[in-house]
C-alpha cells in the first residue's frame, strides 16, 4: 500500500493509521512501517522487534528497510539491551548517545550496516499483551526531541495493532497451509509404496512450512546398533545408500537412542553435534516411530542460528509419522513381492494387522480395559486400538470396513495410518474424523466405506468424549443395571464430502461397563438363521460384569461361537470392554 507524503507528522497520524489498517503479513507490513517511521521522524532507519510468541523472546523483523535472515537469527530475552528494557518497563525512551548507555547491545550493527548514535524506542502492546518494540535510529538533521518521542509513542498504538493482526494473519495462513500440505502427504503415503518417491515428497512438503538448507532420513537397523541413511538433501557430497553410524552418535544417534526430539539453536554449543556440514548453524531432529518403537530419525539443518522452534518440532513430528508409515508400508511391500500373488497379499495383510493391533491393554488407574479381534478369514477388515495421547488421556478407536478379506484389510491399513497421523497432530475429535473422512474419499473406490468410533477417555475425570461415524452404538451398562446405547454423531466415512461430526460426552461412574463392538458380534447367525442379537449381548454383559475385562471379551466370543454352532464366523468380530472400577 503506498504511503501519503508526511509533510507534518502530527497532521499525518490519521493517514499513517489508514496505511497500517490493512490485513497484511509481517513481511508485507515491514517496509510500510520502516518508511512510515523514517519519513515522519526524519531518521536514518527504523528497527522493529517483535515478540516471538512461541519462544517468548524479541526477534528483529526489520532493520534498515529490509528483512534479513542474519538479523532474524539474533534473539533478545526480555530485559536484554535497550529494546528489552523498554519492553519490560513498558516505557518509551529517548537516547542522545547510545554508546553511553550500559544496556546498549551492538551485536547486530554489522547486519544493520549502520552505527547507532541517537535512538527513540517505544514499546508495542495490545490489550495489555506485549507485542514488541519500535525504534527510530539516528536523526538525519539534529537530534531527536521529546516531541519526536511523543509522536512515536502515539504511532506505536497503530503499529502494535498492525503487528498483532499480521501475526494472526500469518498464523492462520500458516495453519491453512500446514493442513493442506499434511493432507497431501497423507494421501500420497496412502496411495504409494514407493518409499524413495514418498520421502522426496515429504522433503518438498516440509520445505514449504519449515525452511531448511539440508535434510536427512535415517532408519535404525533391526538389531538397533546402527542407523542407516535413507534419503538426504542439501549436502555438498553424496553419501552412499548404505552409509551407517552407531546408535548414540551425534544428534541423530541421540534421538534414535532416546526417542526424544531435539532443537539445537546453536550447534556449536551442543556437545552432541557432529560437524558433517560446515555451513550448519542450527538443527532439529524428530524420531520416526512405528507403534511404540523408534525406527529412525528425521533431521533438518539450517545455515542460520535459532532457525527452529517448538512448533517446528511438532510439525516435523507429524511429517515423521507419515514417513514412518511410508517406511512400514515399503517394508511390507518388499515382503509381498517375494511370494506368489495370493501369498504376497495375505502375508502383507497379516503383517500389517499384527502391527496395528495393540500389544497389550493399557493399565489405567480406576479402569480395567481390554480388546479382542477375531478374523472370519485370513485377514480382518476390523480395527481397534488404544492410543496414549498425553498424561491421563487415552484414545479408544474401533472401526469396520465394508467387505472382507485382503481388500478390506488394505483399506483398514489406510484408515489406521490416517487416523494415527491426525491424532498425533492434536486435533479435536470432530476434526480428526473430518480429516480422515476427506482422506478416505481420496483413496477408496466408490462403494467402499468405513464405520468408526473414536473417543478420548479422561481417566482422572472418568469422562469419555467421542464421535461415532455410522458405527454400531456402543452399549453402556450402568452400575444399577440399566443399559444405554451411545448413538452415532455422524455418517459413515469415505462416502459423503464435507460431513460434520459432532462430539458427545458421557460420564463413566464407578461400576459402569462399556462395550464397543462391530456388527460381527450381534449379526452372527445360527443354523436356523436367527441373529445373536443385542439382547443376548446385554444379558451376557450382566452375567459377566464381575469378571475382568479380558475375560468378558473372551466370554462373549465363546458365546457367539457356540451360538453359531462352532462354524466359522461369517464376519469379523471385534470388541473393546471398558470397566469403571469402584
Amino acid at each position: 500500500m503506498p504511503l501519503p507524503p508526511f509533510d507534518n507528522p502530527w497532521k499525518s497520524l490519521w493517514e499513517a493509521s489508514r496505511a497500517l489498517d490493512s490485513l497484511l503479513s509481517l513481511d508485507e507490513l515491514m517496509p510500510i512501517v520502516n518508511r512510515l517511521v523514517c519519513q515522519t521522524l526524519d531518521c536514518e532507519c527504523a528497527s522493529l522487534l517483535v515478540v516471538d510468541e512461541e519462544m517468548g523472546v524479541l526477534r528483529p523483523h526489520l532493520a534498515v528497510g529490509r528483512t534479513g535472515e542474519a538479523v532474524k537469527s539474533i534473539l533478545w530475552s526480555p530485559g536484554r539491551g535497550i529494546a528489552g528494557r523498554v519492553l519490560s518497563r513498558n516505557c518509551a525512551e529517548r537516547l542522545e548517545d547510545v554508546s553511553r548507555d550500559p544496556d546498549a547491545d551492538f551485536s547486530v550493527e554489522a547486519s544493520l550496516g549502520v552505527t547507532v548514535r541517537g535512538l527513540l524506542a517505544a514499546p508495542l502492546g495490545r490489550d495489555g499483551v506485549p507485542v514488541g518494540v519500535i525504534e527510530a535510529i539516528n536523526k538525519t538533521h539534529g537530534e531527536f526531541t521529546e516531541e519526536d518521542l511523543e509522536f512515536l509513542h502515539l504511532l506505536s498504538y497503530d503499529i502494535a495493532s498492525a503487528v498483532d493482526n499480521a501475526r494472526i494473519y500469518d498464523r492462520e495462513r500458516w495453519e491453512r497451509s500446514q493442513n493442506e500440505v499434511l493432507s497431501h502427504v497423507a494421501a500420497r503415503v496412502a496411495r504409494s509404496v514407493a518409499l524413495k518417491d514418498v520421502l522426496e515428497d515429504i522433503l518438498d512438503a516440509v520445505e514449504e512450512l519449515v525452511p531448511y538448507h539440508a535434510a536427512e532420513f535415517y532408519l535404525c537397523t533391526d538389531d538397533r546398533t546402527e542407523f542407516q541413511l535413507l534419503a538426504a538433501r542439501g549436502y555438498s557430497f553424496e553419501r552412499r545408500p548404505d552409509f551407517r553410524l552407531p546408535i548414540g552418535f551425534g544428534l541423530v544417534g541421540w534421538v534414535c537412542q532416546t526417542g526424544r526430539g531435539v532443537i539445537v539453536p546453536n550447534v556449536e554449543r551442543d556437545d552432541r553435534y557432529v560437524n558433517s556440514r560446515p555451513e550448519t548453524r542450527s538443527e532439529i531432529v524428530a524420531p520416526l516411530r512405528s507403534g511404540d518403537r523408534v525406527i529412525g530419525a528425521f533431521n533438518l539443518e539450517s545455515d542460520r542460528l535459532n532457525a527452529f522452534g517448538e512448533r517446528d518440532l511438532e510439525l516435523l513430528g507429524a511429517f515423521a509419522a507419515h514417513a514412518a508409515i511410508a517406511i512400514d508400508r515399503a517394508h511390507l511391500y518388499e515382503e509381498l513381492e517375494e511370494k506368489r500373488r495370493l501369498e504376497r497379499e495375505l502375508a502383507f495383510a497379516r503383517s500389517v494387522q499384527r502391527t496395528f493391533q495393540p500389544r497389550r491393554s493399557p493399565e489405567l488407574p480406576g479402569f480395567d480395559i481390554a480388546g479382542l479381534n477375531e478374523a472370519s478369514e485370513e485377514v480382518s477388515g476390523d480395527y481397534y486400538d488404544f492410543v496414549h495421547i498425553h498424561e491421563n488421556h487415552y484414545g479408544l478407536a474401533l472401526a469396520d470396513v465394508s467387505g472382507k478379506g485382503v481388500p478390506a484389510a488394505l483399506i483398514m491399513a489406510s484408515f489406521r495410518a490416517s487416523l494415527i497421523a491426525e491424532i498425533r497432530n492434536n486435533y479435536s475429535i470432530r476434526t480428526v474424523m473430518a480429516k480422515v473422512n476427506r482422506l478416505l474419499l481420496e483413496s477408496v473406490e466408490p462403494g467402499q466405506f468405513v464405520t468408526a468410533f473414536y473417543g478420548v477417555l479422561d481417566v482422572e475425570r472418568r469422562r469419555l468424549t467421542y464421535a461415532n461415524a455410522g458405527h454400531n452404538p456402543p452399549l453402556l451398562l450402568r452400575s444399577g443395571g440399566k443399559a444405554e446405547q451411545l448413538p452415532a454423531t455422524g455418517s459413515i466415512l469415505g462416502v459423503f464430502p464435507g460431513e460434520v461430526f459432532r462430539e458427545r460426552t458421557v460420564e463413566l461412574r464407578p461400576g459402569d461397563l462399556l462395550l464397543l463392538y462391530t456388527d460381527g458380534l450381534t449379526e452372527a447367525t445360527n443354523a436356523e438363521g436367527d441373529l445373536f442379537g443385542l439382547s443376548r449381548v446385554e444379558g451376557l454383559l450382566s452375567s459377566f460384569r464381575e469378571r475382568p475385562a479380558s475375560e468378558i471379551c473372551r466370554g462373549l466370543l465363546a458365546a457367539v461361537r457356540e451360538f453359531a454352532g462352532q462354524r466359522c464366523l461369517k464376519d469379523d468380530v471385534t470388541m473393546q470392554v471398558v470397566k469403571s472400577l469402584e
Side-chain angles (χ1 to χ4, degrees), residues 47 82-83 85-86 93-98 116-121 134-139 144 149 152:
S47 176
I82 296 172
R85 182 178 70 202
V86 167
E93 294 189 22
R94 177 174 67 93
L95 290 88
E96 295 181 0
D97 188 352
V98 172
V116 181
R117 300 184 303 276
L119 180 72
L120 297 179
I134 180 67
E135 296 178 336
I137 301 172
N138 297 343
K139 185 81 168 181
F144 289 120
L149 183 63
L152 183 64

Side-chain angles (χ1 to χ4, degrees), residues 402-417:
S402 59
K404 293 188 283 292
V406 172
L410 292 176
I411 295 174
M412 185 53 67
S414 178
F415 165 81
R416 186 261 185 186

Side-chain angles (χ1 to χ4, degrees), residues 26 30 48-61 75-78 83-84 87-88 123-126 129-134 163-164 167 171:
L26 277 172
M30 296 314 163
L48 178 61
L49 300 94
V50 178
V51 174
D52 188 303
E53 296 174 287
E54 179 182 339
M55 303 177 67
V57 297
L58 277 171
R59 185 186 294 272
H61 276 259
L75 308 181
W76 277 271
S77 58
L87 184 67
S88 62
L124 304 177
R126 190 178 189 187
V129 178
V131 172
V133 175
I134 180 67
V163 170
D164 196 41
R167 292 194 305 186
R171 183 166 57 249

Side-chain angles (χ1 to χ4, degrees), residues 230-536:
L230 282 182
R233 180 179 290 183
Y235 292 89
S236 58
F237 57 93
E238 184 175 350
R239 291 175 174 170
R240 301 187 313 273
D242 60 348
F243 176 77
R244 297 187 180 192
L245 291 169
I247 289 287
F249 183 79
L251 287 166
V252 172
W254 184 87
V255 170
C256 289
Q257 186 176 58
T258 64
R260 302 200 299 269
V262 63
I263 303 170
V264 181
N266 186 346
V267 294
E268 293 182 357
R269 298 180 181 178
D270 196 301
D271 294 337
R272 296 167 296 183
Y273 175 70
V274 176
N275 190 349
S276 61
R277 185 177 177 274
E279 302 89 350
T280 296
R281 295 294 176 267
S282 57
E283 187 169 353
I284 183 172
V285 191
L288 303 178
R289 299 181 182 276
S290 176
D292 296 331
R293 297 182 301 115
V294 176
I295 63 171
F298 185 13
N299 169 59
L300 300 182
E301 300 181 25
S302 175
D303 294 351
R304 66 181 181 89
L305 298 170
N306 304 300
F308 307 111
E310 289 295 334
R311 184 177 67 173
D312 298 322
L313 183 59
E314 292 177 9
L315 182 59
L316 197 63
F319 281 109
H322 288 301
I325 293 167
I327 291 169
D328 283 344
R329 286 170 58 86
H331 287 175
L332 289 171
Y333 187 76
E334 289 173 2
E335 296 177 8
L336 188 70
E337 288 300 305
E338 295 175 358
K339 302 177 182 179
R340 296 179 180 179
R341 175 175 167 72
L342 180 58
E343 293 174 344
R344 291 201 309 266
E345 289 182 351
L346 293 176
F348 172 75
R350 285 195 298 268
S351 298
V352 168
Q353 294 202 316
R354 280 197 299 270
T355 62
F356 289 179
Q357 301 299 338
R359 296 182 180 180
R360 61 183 68 86
S361 299
E363 297 180 4
L364 307 180
F367 288 90
D368 179 18
I369 298 180
L372 178 148
N373 169 256
E374 184 74 5
S376 61
E377 297 184 5
E378 291 281 346
V379 292
S380 172
D382 287 358
Y383 162 72
Y384 82 97
D385 206 351
F386 307 110
V387 184
H388 184 205
I389 300 173
H390 62 84
E391 295 183 354
N392 293 321
H393 292 75
Y394 272 79
L396 304 178
L398 189 139
D400 186 1
V401 173
S402 59
K404 293 188 283 292
V406 172
L410 292 176
I411 295 174
M412 185 53 67
S414 178
F415 165 81
R416 186 261 185 186
S418 301
L419 178 68
I420 295 299
E422 300 304 339
I423 290 174
R424 287 175 176 167
N425 284 332
N426 293 318
Y427 291 121
S428 66
I429 294 172
R430 61 178 178 271
T431 303
V432 167
M433 295 300 249
K435 286 176 173 289
V436 171
N437 181 54
R438 185 163 60 248
L439 291 171
L440 286 175
L441 278 165
E442 298 174 356
S443 58
V444 301
E445 297 295 327
Q448 297 175 322
F449 61 88
V450 177
T451 67
F453 177 98
Y454 172 60
V456 175
L457 176 62
D458 185 336
V459 177
E460 185 175 354
R461 297 181 180 179
R462 293 179 180 261
R463 181 181 298 168
L464 178 67
T465 303
Y466 72 92
N468 185 338
H471 196 72
N472 301 82
L475 185 61
L476 176 59
L477 191 63
R478 292 294 188 183
S479 56
K482 181 181 178 181
E484 304 174 11
Q485 294 186 55
L486 307 185
T489 62
S491 186
I492 56 179
L493 301 172
V495 175
F496 305 108
E499 178 70 14
V500 176
F501 299 88
R502 302 182 306 278
E503 295 180 10
R504 292 194 177 184
T505 300
V506 61
E507 304 290 336
L508 298 179
R509 298 187 287 270
D512 288 350
L513 178 62
L514 176 66
L515 172 68
L516 313 179
Y517 61 95
T518 58
D519 56 15
L521 176 65
T522 54
E523 294 179 9
T525 57
N526 59 14
E528 289 72 36
D530 299 322
L531 291 175
F532 190 72
L534 189 59
S535 60
R536 284 190 176 86

Side-chain angles (χ1 to χ4, degrees), residues 57-203:
V57 297
L58 277 171
R59 185 186 294 272
H61 276 259
L62 176 69
V64 198
R66 68 174 185 271
T67 53
E69 294 301 313
V71 177
K72 288 183 181 181
S73 66
I74 301 174
L75 308 181
W76 277 271
S77 58
R80 174 193 164 189
I82 296 172
R85 182 178 70 202
V86 167
L87 184 67
S88 62
R89 293 180 179 178
N90 194 30
C91 181
E93 294 189 22
R94 177 174 67 93
L95 290 88
E96 295 181 0
D97 188 352
V98 172
S99 64
R100 296 182 180 181
D101 192 291
D103 289 331
D105 189 329
F106 302 102
S107 59
V108 297
E109 282 198 351
S111 298
L112 290 172
V114 65
T115 299
V116 181
R117 300 184 303 276
L119 180 72
L120 297 179
L124 304 177
R126 190 178 189 187
D127 299 328
V129 178
V131 172
V133 175
I134 180 67
E135 296 178 336
I137 301 172
N138 297 343
K139 185 81 168 181
T140 304
H141 301 93
E143 296 181 349
F144 289 120
T145 65
E146 286 298 322
E147 186 180 49
D148 292 332
L149 183 63
E150 183 178 355
F151 181 79
L152 183 64
H153 180 67
L154 291 173
L155 192 60
S156 69
Y157 294 105
D158 290 323
I159 295 176
S161 179
V163 170
D164 196 41
N165 289 338
R167 292 194 305 186
I168 294 172
Y169 175 76
D170 283 342
R171 183 166 57 249
E172 291 180 349
R173 186 172 64 174
W174 188 89
E175 289 176 353
R176 287 197 302 271
S177 178
Q178 169 189 295
N179 294 339
E180 291 172 1
V181 170
L182 286 174
S183 295
H184 164 76
V185 170
R188 183 75 170 90
V189 170
R191 291 194 302 265
S192 176
V193 292
L195 180 58
K196 185 178 184 300
D197 294 341
V198 172
L199 294 183
E200 288 294 328
D201 280 353
I202 290 176
L203 290 174

